[in-house]
Amino acid sequence: MNRRTALKLVTVCTLAAASGLSGGAFAADTIKVGILHSLSGTMAISESALEQTALMTIAEINAQGGVMGKQLEPVVVDPASNWPLFAEKARQLLSKDKVAVVFGCWTSVSRKSVLPVFRELNGLLFYPVQYEGEELEKNVFYTGAAPNQQAIPAVDYLLSKDGGEAKRFVLLGTDYVYPRTTNKILRAYLHTKGIQDADIMEEYTPFGYSDYQTIIAKIKDFSSQGKKTAVVSTINGDSNVPFYKELGNAGLKATDVPVVAFSVGEEELRGVDTKPLVGELAAWNYFMSVKNPENTKFTKMYRDWAKKQKLPNADTAVTNDPMEATYVGIHMWKQAVEKAHSTDVDKVIAAMGGQTFKAPSGFTLEMDPKNHHLHKPVMIGEVKANGQFNVVWKTKEPVKAQPWSPFIAGNDKKKDEPEAN
């Protein structure tokens, strides 16, 4: 038995115990919920923590009496950073395991892979990660940010006096749909701010890429031509570790060429010496460092969970934005089921609009009545030497998501609600 399998068994047994179920198994009358996150491969660095957050939240709900008096039974699968396997595992969860809901996916390519399965089988997916927008599915609730809740405000900050008044931009990402679509939106947005194509450099690397010397050298050259330059990074997965290490090796400091990342948070920075990265930026809707009673409870709960589960490096366990979005999504689903008095997908979808939850971000978040996206605050944080973030800018109120970006032609004709399947 390998360590990962052993950890999973420990987790399931612990959940059973936490739920007050005897014999190490769940009672027959439970509500099954699917967890669809990569526990191996290039995305495990980011997704493993979301699996654990989902299990922790399920245990918390079970300890408080469950949902409609029934215990939640998690069904965990590992799609292993393999995009077609996501679709197979989603089909297994919905058809064979008969789960009422699935919490999962990180990359947009994994989400796009499972969408036809959720449509066909009328399943329900909660997707917890920022993404490129350009999608509005009846069977999905998006608890991460749309571009106007992360990417656009981050660029506005870089253009501002506080953000360094950048005049040239490097759009650097992993080569798949999320970075390419986000950068298409950002290029069009930069044009409206007077930034010409000659002052925009766009580069992509494959998943799992690790040799960033050449690209960092190109960024150095691009930034040496007399105009303040900033990097917008949509690098995903474990490639972030060598990217930031090379940035440090090259002596490219935040004061010279700031990097704002959309897929790097506290969890990804655990594997990096953050001292050379002090002052680099990330744009999210939550940071572990925000101070409020809900976040104190959330961070303590996760640290206690990590120790109890004997997770690797449990003593330094951190929380991040997609973990918060996972936590909020599961609680909102619970509220919607109880409002609908049913786990029936169509009834739960109808009950989801307008749900609110007091989130660890310190804001009361609302699921939009129509467009299946959360209203979220936007925050920009600077990396500190200890791998945490100091929030340097945030919105006063949550921002309504725009799934259809106004910077893509033809979107003005699209509806702000899902089409019927």
Side-chain angles (χ1 to χ4, degrees), residues 113-128:
S113 172
V114 304
L115 286 181
V117 179
F118 280 87
R119 282 189 212 120
E120 178 198 335
L121 301 174
N122 198 30
L124 184 57
L125 173 68
F126 279 71
Y127 176 66

Side-chain angles (χ1 to χ4, degrees), residues 7 41 48 80 93 173 199 237 240 251 277 282 288 322 366 374 403 405:
L7 264 177
S48 297
L93 287 170
D199 288 318
N240 277 299
L277 307 180
M288 183 178 178
E366 180 191 3
L374 270 186
S405 173

Side-chain angles (χ1 to χ4, degrees), residues 253 310 360:
K253 291 190 168 57
K310 298 183 170 58

Side-chain angles (χ1 to χ4, degrees), residues 16 20 47 53 84 92 152 163 166 182 192 217 240 279 287 289 312 356 379 395:
E47 292 193 65
T53 303
Q92 174 196 318
I152 299 284
T182 299
T192 70
N240 277 299
F287 287 105
S289 60
T356 61
M379 303 179 190
T395 54

Side-chain angles (χ1 to χ4, degrees), residues 45-103:
I45 184 176
S46 296
E47 292 193 65
S48 297
L50 303 194
E51 176 227 14
Q52 289 298 326
T53 303
L55 292 172
M56 174 193 78
T57 310
I58 288 164
E60 179 198 21
I61 289 169
N62 282 344
Q64 293 167 357
V67 177
M68 296 193 304
K70 294 183 180 181
Q71 294 286 287
L72 299 180
E73 178 181 349
V75 183
V76 178
V77 293
D78 178 15
S81 309
N82 174 330
W83 319 132
L85 192 56
F86 266 88
E88 286 178 39
K89 294 292 186 184
R91 186 173 293 280
Q92 174 196 318
L93 287 170
L94 295 172
S95 295
K96 182 170 164 257
D97 298 311
K98 306 287 186 195
V99 299
V101 63
V102 175
F103 301 98

